[in-house]
Amino acid sequence: MKSRIETDGYGRKKVIDACMEPCAIERGMRIIGGKWTGSLIYHLKDGPVRFNDLNRMLGGATKKMIDQRLKELEARGMVLRTVINDRPIAVTYELTELGRSAMDILEDLRLWSEKYDIR
Amino acid sequence: MKSRIETDGYGRKKVIDACMEPCAIERGMRIIGGKWTGSLIYHLKDGPVRFNDLNRMLGGATKKMIDQRLKELEARGMVLRTVINDRPIAVTYELTELGRSAMDILEDLRLWSEKYDIR
DNA sequence: TATTTCAGGTATACTATTTATACCTAAGGA
DNA sequence: TCCTTAGGTATAAATAGTATACCTGAAATA
C-alpha cells in the first residue's frame, strides 16, 4: 500500500503511487473473504469437524460450496483433510497453524458485526 | 454462533444447534468482504478522496465496481459522498465513524496478509 | 426383506455477480 | 480544433454461486 495523494490548490488530487495490483487487503480478502470461507474457518476453531457436520453448521451454503472452499483452503495449507475411516467413509477437516492464524481477524470481525448489528 | 457438536464412540459427530442463517462472521464478510470493498475502505483512511483517484488507486477494479461499492457503503452509512463542486463536477468520498470502525479489522488483515505472504 | 438413511461427495442447469469495453456531458488546455 | 479530465452509465461476456438431483456402500428401520 504505497499509494499517496497530493492535492493542488483547487482540491484536485493526484495519485502519486497507485497500487497497480491487488494490495495486501485485497489479497487477504480473496482468501478469507470468499463467500462462506470465513464461516468455514470459524466453525473449525474447536477442532476437527466432519464434512456433513460443516454442511449442517453453515445453513445456507451448499455441499458444492463447502467442498470447493475446503479444497481451496486445503490447497493453501490452511486446512487439513484426514480420512479417518473408509467403508463407511469418514473424513474430518481441521485448521492448520496457518488456518488458525486467521482466527484473530475473524474474531474481531464477529465482534464488529455484533457490535454494529450488521445485517 | 450457538452451534455445538457432540461426538459418539466412533468419532461420529452430531451438530446440536446449527446456525441456520448467516452468522456474524458471514454477515460481516458480506459487507467488508465484498470484492474491492475492503480496499476501498482502506484507501479512504487518510481522508476524503475523489472518485477517479479511488479508481486509479485500486488498479484492477472498474469504475462500475467502484461506483457500486461506494453506493453500497454509502447506503450503509459507512461512507459519505460530498459534491464539492458542480460544473466542473467534483465529488469526494470519505469514511463515517461507522466506516472508520472497520479499520482495525482491515489493518489486521493487511498485517496477516503480509506476514504470511498471501498471494 | 425392502426401503430409507447416512457418509462424502459429484453432475447439471440456472441465476447473480464481476469484468471488459465503450460511451456520455460539460469544461479546460495544447 | 482536438484531446483530456471529471464522474459516472450501458452493454455484453466471463466468472462465481445456487438449487436440485444423484452416486456408492454400509447400516438402521419398517
Side-chain angles (χ1 to χ4, degrees):
Chain A
M1 190 73 58
K2 292 177 297 179
S3 61
R4 276 177 305 126
I5 296 166
E6 285 185 0
T7 312
D8 70 14
Y10 296 104
R12 263 171 252 180
K13 296 192 176 185
K14 282 204 162 151
V15 177
I16 301 307
D17 210 352
C19 54
M20 283 316 287
E21 45 220 68
C23 60
I25 301 275
E26 200 53 40
R27 294 196 316 271
M29 277 302 186
R30 302 265 168 102
I31 308 314
I32 64 168
K35 217 163 182 180
W36 305 108
T37 309
S39 302
L40 211 39
I41 296 172
Y42 196 82
H43 280 93
L44 291 174
K45 72 179 187 316
D46 298 321
V49 184
R50 292 174 62 164
F51 182 85
N52 278 320
D53 287 329
L54 281 171
N55 185 219
R56 279 187 283 266
M57 290 160 103
L58 275 70
T62 61
K63 285 178 166 191
K64 190 181 178 183
M65 226 352 64
I66 306 232
D67 181 57
Q68 196 176 116
R69 291 314 188 209
L70 284 171
K71 278 178 179 152
E72 279 172 29
L73 291 171
E74 204 196 349
R76 282 195 172 272
M78 295 182 70
V79 155
L80 182 68
R81 177 184 188 269
T82 312
V83 176
I84 55 172
N85 213 343
D86 28 279
R87 254 183 327 279
I89 184 143
V91 177
T92 61
Y93 291 89
E94 65 193 297
L95 293 179
T96 61
E97 267 314 298
L98 178 56
R100 200 162 290 286
S101 72
M103 280 304 305
D104 286 354
I105 300 167
L106 295 176
E107 187 60 30
D108 283 356
L109 176 61
R110 186 178 68 76
L111 292 171
W112 179 78
S113 250
E114 285 173 356
K115 177 172 181 186
Y116 294 99
D117 196 33
I118 302 296
R119 307 252 139 250
Chain B
M1 191 73 57
K2 294 179 296 181
S3 60
R4 276 178 306 127
I5 297 167
E6 286 186 358
T7 312
D8 71 12
Y10 297 103
R12 263 171 253 181
K13 295 190 177 189
K14 283 206 162 150
V15 176
I16 302 306
D17 209 352
C19 53
M20 283 317 286
E21 45 220 67
C23 61
I25 302 274
E26 201 53 39
R27 295 197 316 272
M29 276 303 185
R30 303 263 167 103
I31 308 314
I32 64 168
K35 218 162 182 181
W36 303 110
T37 308
S39 302
L40 212 38
I41 295 172
Y42 196 81
H43 281 94
L44 291 174
K45 71 178 187 319
D46 298 321
V49 183
R50 293 173 62 163
F51 182 85
N52 278 319
D53 287 329
L54 280 171
N55 184 221
R56 278 187 283 266
M57 289 159 103
L58 273 73
T62 60
K63 285 177 165 191
K64 190 179 178 183
M65 226 351 66
I66 306 229
D67 181 56
Q68 196 175 117
R69 291 312 187 211
L70 284 171
K71 277 177 180 151
E72 279 172 30
L73 290 170
E74 205 195 347
R76 282 195 172 272
M78 294 182 70
V79 155
L80 182 67
R81 178 185 188 268
T82 311
V83 176
I84 56 172
N85 214 343
D86 29 280
R87 255 184 327 281
I89 183 139
V91 177
T92 61
Y93 292 90
E94 66 193 297
L95 293 178
T96 62
E97 266 316 297
L98 179 56
R100 201 162 289 285
S101 72
M103 281 303 307
D104 286 353
I105 300 166
L106 295 177
E107 188 59 31
D108 283 356
L109 176 61
R110 185 179 68 77
L111 291 172
W112 179 78
S113 248
E114 286 174 356
K115 177 172 180 185
Y116 295 99
D117 196 32
I118 303 295
R119 308 251 138 249

